[in-house]
Amino acid sequence: MTGRAAGPADPGGLAVRVIPCLDVDGGRVVKGVNFAGLRDAGDPVELARRYDAEGADELVFLDITASSAGRDTTYDVVRRTAEEVFIPLTVGGGVRSVDDVDRLLRAGADKVGVNTAAIERPELLTEIGDRFGAQVLVLSVDARRTAGSATTGSGFEITTHGGRVGTGLDAVAWARRAASDGVGEILLNSMDADGTRTGFDLELIAQVRAAVTVPVVASGGAGRPADFPAAVAAGADAVLAASVFHFGQLRVAEVKDAIAGAGYAVRR
């Protein structure tokens, strides 16, 4: 069984989730373009409270400099954020071990995202899945299109350390392997589209959707209400956005209206 969202021909399927993302650096929510030119977007606890009240289905909290700086996720900020929301919270950034996952769950996370450490040591995925179950484990995939001599079969490669380091690894093949290793969900972020507000990378979503049966969360590029149902049509089970929510260009209800208007089920 896949986690595929309901479409016009399948109105009884699973509801599409709408997920604001809190990219956190130094205890503050920040946002830029392609993970560069970051500007302050507010306090994570206040934003989490607002999105919970607006009807968001889940929240994602990403400590975007934890891996590149070689430090742990900011547990205190996670704890305070979790205390303010009553919807599922996924936390990622700087997760390197089963013990890190345990600490985050104790701090209030419902799911934990892993990226850089899993690429360096893929067996970490199995270790986490065996200990906590697939429902806890989210693979965060920061993918970009290949250029020059760095080619892959899918045309997309994995990046690490918050999108700063290219690996040459095929992003679609990595998602397929991780799903077979027990990952419960894939958070698929297009580094090319991130922060641009030009729309999700539909080709990337479609390729990963065809390769895995676990739910796929589309991230990177949302700018207009119409971008969200397009991502669902390409294969996303959930849609994630950051700056358009943080800076008031869109509200959660607008996004749900657009998705529902295209014939997909949403939670109200």
Side-chain angles (χ1 to χ4, degrees):
M1 176 180 177
T2 74
R4 186 69 174 87
D10 182 23
L14 297 176
V16 178
R17 291 169 286 149
V18 176
I19 307 174
C21 181
L22 308 176
D23 293 320
V24 178
D25 182 19
R28 299 286 293 180
V29 176
V30 295
K31 195 58 191 171
V33 178
N34 307 131
F35 276 46
L38 301 178
R39 58 177 173 144
D40 188 271
D43 176 75
V45 178
E46 293 178 2
L47 285 172
R49 186 187 302 120
R50 186 180 99 195
Y51 294 137
D52 192 8
E54 286 185 3
D57 298 304
E58 298 183 14
L59 284 176
V60 168
F61 178 113
L62 298 178
D63 191 326
I64 62 172
T65 57
S67 290
S68 60
R71 61 171 173 78
D72 292 336
T73 304
T74 309
Y75 289 93
D76 178 62
V77 180
V78 172
R79 187 174 294 106
R80 290 190 291 113
T81 302
E83 289 172 351
E84 292 296 325
V85 300
F86 301 94
I87 52 179
L89 175 65
T90 298
V91 180
V95 177
R96 302 177 187 87
S97 68
V98 169
D99 287 341
D100 289 340
V101 175
D102 185 62
R103 291 176 65 190
L104 285 170
L105 295 175
R106 292 177 185 275
D110 298 283
K111 295 184 280 188
V112 175
V114 182
N115 182 353
T116 300
I119 294 168
E120 295 172 347
R121 198 171 68 84
E123 56 267 30
L124 177 61
L125 298 176
T126 303
E127 293 169 4
I128 295 171
D130 287 348
R131 171 102 177 254
F132 301 104
Q135 75 280 358
V136 163
L137 181 55
V138 177
L139 180 71
S140 183
V141 176
D142 291 340
R144 70 183 179 194
R145 292 174 182 271
T146 55
S149 59
T151 58
T152 65
S154 68
F156 296 94
E157 72 167 331
I158 291 291
T159 67
T160 63
H161 298 82
R164 295 169 179 81
V165 181
T167 66
L169 296 173
D170 190 306
V172 177
W174 171 234
R176 182 187 295 111
R177 174 182 173 176
S180 68
D181 285 345
V183 165
E185 185 168 83
I186 292 175
L187 173 54
L188 181 63
N189 185 40
S190 167
M191 300 307 298
D192 300 309
D194 182 80
T196 63
R197 303 183 191 176
T198 56
F200 294 94
D201 190 322
L202 304 182
E203 181 185 353
L204 175 62
I205 296 168
Q207 285 203 44
V208 173
R209 171 75 283 155
V212 305
T213 58
V214 299
V216 174
V217 181
S219 170
R224 305 169 301 140
D227 292 334
F228 295 89
V232 178
D237 301 276
V239 285
L240 179 148
S243 59
V244 290
F245 289 143
H246 301 337
F247 300 119
Q249 282 85 7
L250 293 174
R251 296 179 70 86
V252 171
E254 287 181 83
V255 172
K256 289 194 173 187
D257 286 345
I259 296 170
Y264 300 98
V266 294
R267 296 187 182 104
R268 293 294 190 181

PDB file of all heavy atoms in Angstrom, residues 177-217:
ATOM      1  N   ARG A 177      16.494   3.152  -1.940  1.00  0.00           N
ATOM      2  CA  ARG A 177      17.228   2.320  -0.981  1.00  0.00           C
ATOM      3  C   ARG A 177      16.762   2.593   0.441  1.00  0.00           C
ATOM      4  O   ARG A 177      16.552   1.667   1.226  1.00  0.00           O
ATOM      5  CB  ARG A 177      18.726   2.580  -1.097  1.00  0.00           C
ATOM      6  CG  ARG A 177      19.523   1.862  -0.021  1.00  0.00           C
ATOM      7  CD  ARG A 177      21.005   2.139  -0.091  1.00  0.00           C
ATOM      8  NE  ARG A 177      21.681   1.546   1.056  1.00  0.00           N
ATOM      9  CZ  ARG A 177      23.000   1.562   1.239  1.00  0.00           C
ATOM     10  NH1 ARG A 177      23.789   2.120   0.340  1.00  0.00           N
ATOM     11  NH2 ARG A 177      23.528   1.016   2.315  1.00  0.00           N
ATOM     12  N   ALA A 178      16.613   3.857   0.792  1.00  0.00           N
ATOM     13  CA  ALA A 178      16.212   4.213   2.145  1.00  0.00           C
ATOM     14  C   ALA A 178      14.825   3.672   2.476  1.00  0.00           C
ATOM     15  O   ALA A 178      14.578   3.208   3.594  1.00  0.00           O
ATOM     16  CB  ALA A 178      16.236   5.728   2.316  1.00  0.00           C
ATOM     17  N   ALA A 179      13.931   3.718   1.502  1.00  0.00           N
ATOM     18  CA  ALA A 179      12.585   3.188   1.736  1.00  0.00           C
ATOM     19  C   ALA A 179      12.639   1.690   2.001  1.00  0.00           C
ATOM     20  O   ALA A 179      11.907   1.167   2.846  1.00  0.00           O
ATOM     21  CB  ALA A 179      11.683   3.494   0.541  1.00  0.00           C
ATOM     22  N   SER A 180      13.519   0.992   1.305  1.00  0.00           N
ATOM     23  CA  SER A 180      13.650  -0.445   1.528  1.00  0.00           C
ATOM     24  C   SER A 180      14.350  -0.747   2.846  1.00  0.00           C
ATOM     25  O   SER A 180      14.209  -1.844   3.395  1.00  0.00           O
ATOM     26  CB  SER A 180      14.421  -1.097   0.375  1.00  0.00           C
ATOM     27  OG  SER A 180      15.776  -0.687   0.362  1.00  0.00           O
ATOM     28  N   ASP A 181      15.083   0.240   3.385  1.00  0.00           N
ATOM     29  CA  ASP A 181      15.784   0.060   4.661  1.00  0.00           C
ATOM     30  C   ASP A 181      14.925   0.429   5.860  1.00  0.00           C
ATOM     31  O   ASP A 181      15.420   0.436   6.989  1.00  0.00           O
ATOM     32  CB  ASP A 181      17.063   0.903   4.684  1.00  0.00           C
ATOM     33  CG  ASP A 181      18.177   0.295   3.834  1.00  0.00           C
ATOM     34  OD1 ASP A 181      18.058  -0.887   3.463  1.00  0.00           O
ATOM     35  OD2 ASP A 181      19.149   1.000   3.550  1.00  0.00           O
ATOM     36  N   GLY A 182      13.658   0.783   5.637  1.00  0.00           N
ATOM     37  CA  GLY A 182      12.754   1.004   6.761  1.00  0.00           C
ATOM     38  C   GLY A 182      12.369   2.434   7.038  1.00  0.00           C
ATOM     39  O   GLY A 182      11.739   2.713   8.062  1.00  0.00           O
ATOM     40  N   VAL A 183      12.704   3.363   6.137  1.00  0.00           N
ATOM     41  CA  VAL A 183      12.267   4.752   6.316  1.00  0.00           C
ATOM     42  C   VAL A 183      10.751   4.838   6.146  1.00  0.00           C
ATOM     43  O   VAL A 183      10.190   4.243   5.222  1.00  0.00           O
ATOM     44  CB  VAL A 183      12.982   5.667   5.299  1.00  0.00           C
ATOM     45  CG1 VAL A 183      12.297   7.019   5.199  1.00  0.00           C
ATOM     46  CG2 VAL A 183      14.441   5.835   5.686  1.00  0.00           C
ATOM     47  N   GLY A 184      10.087   5.569   7.020  1.00  0.00           N
ATOM     48  CA  GLY A 184       8.634   5.657   6.970  1.00  0.00           C
ATOM     49  C   GLY A 184       8.095   6.767   6.097  1.00  0.00           C
ATOM     50  O   GLY A 184       6.919   6.743   5.707  1.00  0.00           O
ATOM     51  N   GLU A 185       8.940   7.742   5.763  1.00  0.00           N
ATOM     52  CA  GLU A 185       8.485   8.897   4.988  1.00  0.00           C
ATOM     53  C   GLU A 185       9.708   9.571   4.394  1.00  0.00           C
ATOM     54  O   GLU A 185      10.805   9.511   4.953  1.00  0.00           O
ATOM     55  CB  GLU A 185       7.730   9.864   5.909  1.00  0.00           C
ATOM     56  CG  GLU A 185       7.092  11.050   5.215  1.00  0.00           C
ATOM     57  CD  GLU A 185       6.127  11.780   6.151  1.00  0.00           C
ATOM     58  OE1 GLU A 185       6.606  12.603   6.950  1.00  0.00           O
ATOM     59  OE2 GLU A 185       4.916  11.508   6.089  1.00  0.00           O
ATOM     60  N   ILE A 186       9.513  10.247   3.256  1.00  0.00           N
ATOM     61  CA  ILE A 186      10.604  10.974   2.612  1.00  0.00           C
ATOM     62  C   ILE A 186      10.235  12.446   2.495  1.00  0.00           C
ATOM     63  O   ILE A 186       9.199  12.788   1.906  1.00  0.00           O
ATOM     64  CB  ILE A 186      10.923  10.388   1.227  1.00  0.00           C
ATOM     65  CG1 ILE A 186      11.524   8.988   1.396  1.00  0.00           C
ATOM     66  CG2 ILE A 186      11.889  11.291   0.459  1.00  0.00           C
ATOM     67  CD1 ILE A 186      11.766   8.256   0.108  1.00  0.00           C
ATOM     68  N   LEU A 187      11.066  13.292   3.090  1.00  0.00           N
ATOM     69  CA  LEU A 187      10.930  14.746   2.957  1.00  0.00           C
ATOM     70  C   LEU A 187      11.829  15.168   1.814  1.00  0.00           C
ATOM     71  O   LEU A 187      13.059  15.166   1.925  1.00  0.00           O
ATOM     72  CB  LEU A 187      11.333  15.440   4.261  1.00  0.00           C
ATOM     73  CG  LEU A 187      11.409  16.966   4.243  1.00  0.00           C
ATOM     74  CD1 LEU A 187      10.103  17.583   3.753  1.00  0.00           C
ATOM     75  CD2 LEU A 187      11.765  17.494   5.625  1.00  0.00           C
ATOM     76  N   LEU A 188      11.216  15.485   0.680  1.00  0.00           N
ATOM     77  CA  LEU A 188      11.934  15.698  -0.578  1.00  0.00           C
ATOM     78  C   LEU A 188      12.046  17.187  -0.876  1.00  0.00           C
ATOM     79  O   LEU A 188      11.073  17.832  -1.268  1.00  0.00           O
ATOM     80  CB  LEU A 188      11.190  14.976  -1.709  1.00  0.00           C
ATOM     81  CG  LEU A 188      11.799  15.055  -3.096  1.00  0.00           C
ATOM     82  CD1 LEU A 188      13.171  14.392  -3.128  1.00  0.00           C
ATOM     83  CD2 LEU A 188      10.865  14.404  -4.113  1.00  0.00           C
ATOM     84  N   ASN A 189      13.252  17.712  -0.699  1.00  0.00           N
ATOM     85  CA  ASN A 189      13.459  19.145  -0.887  1.00  0.00           C
ATOM     86  C   ASN A 189      14.288  19.408  -2.133  1.00  0.00           C
ATOM     87  O   ASN A 189      15.403  18.902  -2.276  1.00  0.00           O
ATOM     88  CB  ASN A 189      14.168  19.752   0.334  1.00  0.00           C
ATOM     89  CG  ASN A 189      14.282  21.258   0.233  1.00  0.00           C
ATOM     90  OD1 ASN A 189      13.353  21.935  -0.206  1.00  0.00           O
ATOM     91  ND2 ASN A 189      15.422  21.804   0.628  1.00  0.00           N
ATOM     92  N   SER A 190      13.747  20.206  -3.045  1.00  0.00           N
ATOM     93  CA  SER A 190      14.490  20.628  -4.225  1.00  0.00           C
ATOM     94  C   SER A 190      15.372  21.817  -3.869  1.00  0.00           C
ATOM     95  O   SER A 190      14.872  22.905  -3.580  1.00  0.00           O
ATOM     96  CB  SER A 190      13.531  21.027  -5.355  1.00  0.00           C
ATOM     97  OG  SER A 190      14.241  21.710  -6.376  1.00  0.00           O
ATOM     98  N   MET A 191      16.686  21.603  -3.887  1.00  0.00           N
ATOM     99  CA  MET A 191      17.607  22.692  -3.571  1.00  0.00           C
ATOM    100  C   MET A 191      17.595  23.762  -4.659  1.00  0.00           C
ATOM    101  O   MET A 191      17.863  24.929  -4.389  1.00  0.00           O
ATOM    102  CB  MET A 191      19.021  22.140  -3.392  1.00  0.00           C
ATOM    103  CG  MET A 191      19.147  21.112  -2.279  1.00  0.00           C
ATOM    104  SD  MET A 191      18.486  21.707  -0.708  1.00  0.00           S
ATOM    105  CE  MET A 191      19.569  23.089  -0.409  1.00  0.00           C
ATOM    106  N   ASP A 192      17.283  23.383  -5.895  1.00  0.00           N
ATOM    107  CA  ASP A 192      17.225  24.353  -6.984  1.00  0.00           C
ATOM    108  C   ASP A 192      16.038  25.301  -6.807  1.00  0.00           C
ATOM    109  O   ASP A 192      16.113  26.488  -7.128  1.00  0.00           O
ATOM    110  CB  ASP A 192      17.104  23.641  -8.334  1.00  0.00           C
ATOM    111  CG  ASP A 192      18.283  22.720  -8.602  1.00  0.00           C
ATOM    112  OD1 ASP A 192      19.430  23.180  -8.484  1.00  0.00           O
ATOM    113  OD2 ASP A 192      18.044  21.540  -8.919  1.00  0.00           O
ATOM    114  N   ALA A 193      14.923  24.765  -6.319  1.00  0.00           N
ATOM    115  CA  ALA A 193      13.701  25.563  -6.192  1.00  0.00           C
ATOM    116  C   ALA A 193      13.568  26.242  -4.837  1.00  0.00           C
ATOM    117  O   ALA A 193      12.782  27.178  -4.694  1.00  0.00           O
ATOM    118  CB  ALA A 193      12.475  24.677  -6.432  1.00  0.00           C
ATOM    119  N   ASP A 194      14.339  25.784  -3.841  1.00  0.00           N
ATOM    120  CA  ASP A 194      14.177  26.256  -2.470  1.00  0.00           C
ATOM    121  C   ASP A 194      14.183  27.783  -2.375  1.00  0.00           C
ATOM    122  O   ASP A 194      15.131  28.445  -2.799  1.00  0.00           O
ATOM    123  CB  ASP A 194      15.298  25.693  -1.593  1.00  0.00           C
ATOM    124  CG  ASP A 194      15.165  26.120  -0.139  1.00  0.00           C
ATOM    125  OD1 ASP A 194      14.356  25.510   0.576  1.00  0.00           O
ATOM    126  OD2 ASP A 194      15.849  27.081   0.260  1.00  0.00           O
ATOM    127  N   GLY A 195      13.088  28.321  -1.836  1.00  0.00           N
ATOM    128  CA  GLY A 195      12.986  29.755  -1.604  1.00  0.00           C
ATOM    129  C   GLY A 195      12.715  30.601  -2.823  1.00  0.00           C
ATOM    130  O   GLY A 195      12.580  31.826  -2.715  1.00  0.00           O
ATOM    131  N   THR A 196      12.612  29.996  -4.009  1.00  0.00           N
ATOM    132  CA  THR A 196      12.460  30.782  -5.234  1.00  0.00           C
ATOM    133  C   THR A 196      11.020  31.185  -5.505  1.00  0.00           C
ATOM    134  O   THR A 196      10.765  32.120  -6.264  1.00  0.00           O
ATOM    135  CB  THR A 196      12.961  29.985  -6.455  1.00  0.00           C
ATOM    136  OG1 THR A 196      12.133  28.813  -6.614  1.00  0.00           O
ATOM    137  CG2 THR A 196      14.415  29.557  -6.270  1.00  0.00           C
ATOM    138  N   ARG A 197      10.065  30.427  -4.949  1.00  0.00           N
ATOM    139  CA  ARG A 197       8.630  30.659  -5.156  1.00  0.00           C
ATOM    140  C   ARG A 197       8.229  30.522  -6.623  1.00  0.00           C
ATOM    141  O   ARG A 197       7.300  31.179  -7.096  1.00  0.00           O
ATOM    142  CB  ARG A 197       8.212  32.025  -4.613  1.00  0.00           C
ATOM    143  CG  ARG A 197       8.534  32.216  -3.137  1.00  0.00           C
ATOM    144  CD  ARG A 197       8.046  33.547  -2.618  1.00  0.00           C
ATOM    145  NE  ARG A 197       8.583  33.816  -1.285  1.00  0.00           N
ATOM    146  CZ  ARG A 197       8.382  34.936  -0.604  1.00  0.00           C
ATOM    147  NH1 ARG A 197       7.652  35.903  -1.146  1.00  0.00           N
ATOM    148  NH2 ARG A 197       8.907  35.099   0.588  1.00  0.00           N
ATOM    149  N   THR A 198       8.933  29.669  -7.350  1.00  0.00           N
ATOM    150  CA  THR A 198       8.627  29.447  -8.767  1.00  0.00           C
ATOM    151  C   THR A 198       7.911  28.125  -9.003  1.00  0.00           C
ATOM    152  O   THR A 198       7.693  27.737 -10.156  1.00  0.00           O
ATOM    153  CB  THR A 198       9.919  29.470  -9.605  1.00  0.00           C
ATOM    154  OG1 THR A 198      10.835  28.491  -9.084  1.00  0.00           O
ATOM    155  CG2 THR A 198      10.575  30.836  -9.555  1.00  0.00           C
ATOM    156  N   GLY A 199       7.536  27.433  -7.926  1.00  0.00           N
ATOM    157  CA  GLY A 199       6.838  26.164  -8.046  1.00  0.00           C
ATOM    158  C   GLY A 199       7.720  24.992  -7.661  1.00  0.00           C
ATOM    159  O   GLY A 199       8.952  25.060  -7.735  1.00  0.00           O
ATOM    160  N   PHE A 200       7.083  23.902  -7.238  1.00  0.00           N
ATOM    161  CA  PHE A 200       7.801  22.697  -6.869  1.00  0.00           C
ATOM    162  C   PHE A 200       8.452  22.069  -8.105  1.00  0.00           C
ATOM    163  O   PHE A 200       8.003  22.282  -9.229  1.00  0.00           O
ATOM    164  CB  PHE A 200       6.834  21.673  -6.255  1.00  0.00           C
ATOM    165  CG  PHE A 200       6.248  22.091  -4.934  1.00  0.00           C
ATOM    166  CD1 PHE A 200       5.018  22.741  -4.880  1.00  0.00           C
ATOM    167  CD2 PHE A 200       6.911  21.823  -3.744  1.00  0.00           C
ATOM    168  CE1 PHE A 200       4.450  23.113  -3.667  1.00  0.00           C
ATOM    169  CE2 PHE A 200       6.359  22.191  -2.524  1.00  0.00           C
ATOM    170  CZ  PHE A 200       5.133  22.843  -2.477  1.00  0.00           C
ATOM    171  N   ASP A 201       9.505  21.282  -7.886  1.00  0.00           N
ATOM    172  CA  ASP A 201      10.140  20.555  -8.980  1.00  0.00           C
ATOM    173  C   ASP A 201       9.311  19.298  -9.236  1.00  0.00           C
ATOM    174  O   ASP A 201       9.485  18.275  -8.567  1.00  0.00           O
ATOM    175  CB  ASP A 201      11.583  20.194  -8.619  1.00  0.00           C
ATOM    176  CG  ASP A 201      12.362  19.663  -9.818  1.00  0.00           C
ATOM    177  OD1 ASP A 201      11.768  18.919 -10.632  1.00  0.00           O
ATOM    178  OD2 ASP A 201      13.553  19.991  -9.951  1.00  0.00           O
ATOM    179  N   LEU A 202       8.408  19.374 -10.176  1.00  0.00           N
ATOM    180  CA  LEU A 202       7.457  18.293 -10.421  1.00  0.00           C
ATOM    181  C   LEU A 202       8.140  17.041 -10.967  1.00  0.00           C
ATOM    182  O   LEU A 202       7.711  15.918 -10.677  1.00  0.00           O
ATOM    183  CB  LEU A 202       6.362  18.765 -11.367  1.00  0.00           C
ATOM    184  CG  LEU A 202       5.592  20.015 -10.915  1.00  0.00           C
ATOM    185  CD1 LEU A 202       4.490  20.352 -11.912  1.00  0.00           C
ATOM    186  CD2 LEU A 202       5.022  19.841  -9.517  1.00  0.00           C
ATOM    187  N   GLU A 203       9.191  17.216 -11.751  1.00  0.00           N
ATOM    188  CA  GLU A 203       9.907  16.052 -12.277  1.00  0.00           C
ATOM    189  C   GLU A 203      10.558  15.266 -11.145  1.00  0.00           C
ATOM    190  O   GLU A 203      10.514  14.025 -11.117  1.00  0.00           O
ATOM    191  CB  GLU A 203      10.974  16.489 -13.284  1.00  0.00           C
ATOM    192  CG  GLU A 203      11.741  15.313 -13.885  1.00  0.00           C
ATOM    193  CD  GLU A 203      12.883  15.745 -14.788  1.00  0.00           C
ATOM    194  OE1 GLU A 203      13.018  16.951 -15.067  1.00  0.00           O
ATOM    195  OE2 GLU A 203      13.653  14.847 -15.201  1.00  0.00           O
ATOM    196  N   LEU A 204      11.166  15.963 -10.199  1.00  0.00           N
ATOM    197  CA  LEU A 204      11.791  15.301  -9.060  1.00  0.00           C
ATOM    198  C   LEU A 204      10.757  14.544  -8.243  1.00  0.00           C
ATOM    199  O   LEU A 204      10.974  13.376  -7.866  1.00  0.00           O
ATOM    200  CB  LEU A 204      12.500  16.347  -8.184  1.00  0.00           C
ATOM    201  CG  LEU A 204      13.107  15.847  -6.880  1.00  0.00           C
ATOM    202  CD1 LEU A 204      14.203  14.812  -7.148  1.00  0.00           C
ATOM    203  CD2 LEU A 204      13.663  17.032  -6.077  1.00  0.00           C
ATOM    204  N   ILE A 205       9.629  15.179  -7.972  1.00  0.00           N
ATOM    205  CA  ILE A 205       8.561  14.524  -7.201  1.00  0.00           C
ATOM    206  C   ILE A 205       8.088  13.261  -7.915  1.00  0.00           C
ATOM    207  O   ILE A 205       7.940  12.193  -7.308  1.00  0.00           O
ATOM    208  CB  ILE A 205       7.381  15.493  -6.983  1.00  0.00           C
ATOM    209  CG1 ILE A 205       7.814  16.681  -6.137  1.00  0.00           C
ATOM    210  CG2 ILE A 205       6.202  14.766  -6.322  1.00  0.00           C
ATOM    211  CD1 ILE A 205       6.794  17.811  -6.116  1.00  0.00           C
ATOM    212  N   ALA A 206       7.845  13.371  -9.215  1.00  0.00           N
ATOM    213  CA  ALA A 206       7.321  12.236  -9.972  1.00  0.00           C
ATOM    214  C   ALA A 206       8.301  11.069  -9.987  1.00  0.00           C
ATOM    215  O   ALA A 206       7.907   9.900  -9.876  1.00  0.00           O
ATOM    216  CB  ALA A 206       6.990  12.667 -11.393  1.00  0.00           C
ATOM    217  N   GLN A 207       9.594  11.358 -10.117  1.00  0.00           N
ATOM    218  CA  GLN A 207      10.584  10.283 -10.144  1.00  0.00           C
ATOM    219  C   GLN A 207      10.655   9.557  -8.799  1.00  0.00           C
ATOM    220  O   GLN A 207      10.725   8.324  -8.753  1.00  0.00           O
ATOM    221  CB  GLN A 207      11.961  10.832 -10.515  1.00  0.00           C
ATOM    222  CG  GLN A 207      12.125  11.170 -11.987  1.00  0.00           C
ATOM    223  CD  GLN A 207      13.584  11.154 -12.405  1.00  0.00           C
ATOM    224  OE1 GLN A 207      14.342  10.258 -12.035  1.00  0.00           O
ATOM    225  NE2 GLN A 207      13.977  12.154 -13.174  1.00  0.00           N
ATOM    226  N   VAL A 208      10.654  10.312  -7.722  1.00  0.00           N
ATOM    227  CA  VAL A 208      10.724   9.682  -6.406  1.00  0.00           C
ATOM    228  C   VAL A 208       9.433   8.926  -6.108  1.00  0.00           C
ATOM    229  O   VAL A 208       9.440   7.819  -5.568  1.00  0.00           O
ATOM    230  CB  VAL A 208      11.036  10.719  -5.313  1.00  0.00           C
ATOM    231  CG1 VAL A 208      10.931  10.106  -3.916  1.00  0.00           C
ATOM    232  CG2 VAL A 208      12.432  11.303  -5.525  1.00  0.00           C
ATOM    233  N   ARG A 209       8.285   9.505  -6.504  1.00  0.00           N
ATOM    234  CA  ARG A 209       7.012   8.822  -6.287  1.00  0.00           C
ATOM    235  C   ARG A 209       7.000   7.455  -6.980  1.00  0.00           C
ATOM    236  O   ARG A 209       6.491   6.470  -6.435  1.00  0.00           O
ATOM    237  CB  ARG A 209       5.874   9.689  -6.840  1.00  0.00           C
ATOM    238  CG  ARG A 209       4.506   9.031  -6.891  1.00  0.00           C
ATOM    239  CD  ARG A 209       3.853   8.932  -5.520  1.00  0.00           C
ATOM    240  NE  ARG A 209       4.381   7.888  -4.693  1.00  0.00           N
ATOM    241  CZ  ARG A 209       4.330   7.896  -3.362  1.00  0.00           C
ATOM    242  NH1 ARG A 209       3.780   8.907  -2.717  1.00  0.00           N
ATOM    243  NH2 ARG A 209       4.830   6.909  -2.663  1.00  0.00           N
ATOM    244  N   ALA A 210       7.570   7.402  -8.170  1.00  0.00           N
ATOM    245  CA  ALA A 210       7.590   6.148  -8.922  1.00  0.00           C
ATOM    246  C   ALA A 210       8.540   5.126  -8.316  1.00  0.00           C
ATOM    247  O   ALA A 210       8.404   3.923  -8.559  1.00  0.00           O
ATOM    248  CB  ALA A 210       7.983   6.420 -10.372  1.00  0.00           C
ATOM    249  N   ALA A 211       9.476   5.595  -7.490  1.00  0.00           N
ATOM    250  CA  ALA A 211      10.507   4.715  -6.950  1.00  0.00           C
ATOM    251  C   ALA A 211      10.185   4.162  -5.575  1.00  0.00           C
ATOM    252  O   ALA A 211      10.788   3.171  -5.162  1.00  0.00           O
ATOM    253  CB  ALA A 211      11.846   5.462  -6.889  1.00  0.00           C
ATOM    254  N   VAL A 212       9.256   4.798  -4.834  1.00  0.00           N
ATOM    255  CA  VAL A 212       8.993   4.389  -3.453  1.00  0.00           C
ATOM    256  C   VAL A 212       7.493   4.242  -3.216  1.00  0.00           C
ATOM    257  O   VAL A 212       6.672   4.805  -3.945  1.00  0.00           O
ATOM    258  CB  VAL A 212       9.573   5.407  -2.439  1.00  0.00           C
ATOM    259  CG1 VAL A 212      11.060   5.626  -2.676  1.00  0.00           C
ATOM    260  CG2 VAL A 212       8.824   6.746  -2.497  1.00  0.00           C
ATOM    261  N   THR A 213       7.159   3.514  -2.159  1.00  0.00           N
ATOM    262  CA  THR A 213       5.752   3.363  -1.775  1.00  0.00           C
ATOM    263  C   THR A 213       5.429   4.083  -0.469  1.00  0.00           C
ATOM    264  O   THR A 213       4.275   4.110  -0.058  1.00  0.00           O
ATOM    265  CB  THR A 213       5.390   1.873  -1.619  1.00  0.00           C
ATOM    266  OG1 THR A 213       6.250   1.272  -0.649  1.00  0.00           O
ATOM    267  CG2 THR A 213       5.531   1.148  -2.944  1.00  0.00           C
ATOM    268  N   VAL A 214       6.446   4.658   0.189  1.00  0.00           N
ATOM    269  CA  VAL A 214       6.198   5.410   1.423  1.00  0.00           C
ATOM    270  C   VAL A 214       5.742   6.824   1.074  1.00  0.00           C
ATOM    271  O   VAL A 214       5.947   7.290  -0.053  1.00  0.00           O
ATOM    272  CB  VAL A 214       7.468   5.459   2.304  1.00  0.00           C
ATOM    273  CG1 VAL A 214       7.887   4.053   2.710  1.00  0.00           C
ATOM    274  CG2 VAL A 214       8.597   6.193   1.596  1.00  0.00           C
ATOM    275  N   PRO A 215       5.104   7.530   2.013  1.00  0.00           N
ATOM    276  CA  PRO A 215       4.667   8.895   1.727  1.00  0.00           C
ATOM    277  C   PRO A 215       5.819   9.824   1.354  1.00  0.00           C
ATOM    278  O   PRO A 215       6.929   9.712   1.890  1.00  0.00           O
ATOM    279  CB  PRO A 215       4.022   9.332   3.045  1.00  0.00           C
ATOM    280  CG  PRO A 215       3.569   8.065   3.687  1.00  0.00           C
ATOM    281  CD  PRO A 215       4.615   7.053   3.325  1.00  0.00           C
ATOM    282  N   VAL A 216       5.540  10.739   0.434  1.00  0.00           N
ATOM    283  CA  VAL A 216       6.513  11.732  -0.027  1.00  0.00           C
ATOM    284  C   VAL A 216       5.991  13.122   0.319  1.00  0.00           C
ATOM    285  O   VAL A 216       4.861  13.484  -0.044  1.00  0.00           O
ATOM    286  CB  VAL A 216       6.744  11.617  -1.546  1.00  0.00           C
ATOM    287  CG1 VAL A 216       7.650  12.743  -2.043  1.00  0.00           C
ATOM    288  CG2 VAL A 216       7.333  10.255  -1.899  1.00  0.00           C
ATOM    289  N   VAL A 217       6.810  13.898   1.014  1.00  0.00           N
ATOM    290  CA  VAL A 217       6.486  15.282   1.354  1.00  0.00           C
ATOM    291  C   VAL A 217       7.262  16.183   0.408  1.00  0.00           C
ATOM    292  O   VAL A 217       8.499  16.183   0.400  1.00  0.00           O
ATOM    293  CB  VAL A 217       6.871  15.613   2.811  1.00  0.00           C
ATOM    294  CG1 VAL A 217       6.499  17.056   3.147  1.00  0.00           C
ATOM    295  CG2 VAL A 217       6.196  14.643   3.780  1.00  0.00           C
TER     296      VAL A 217
END
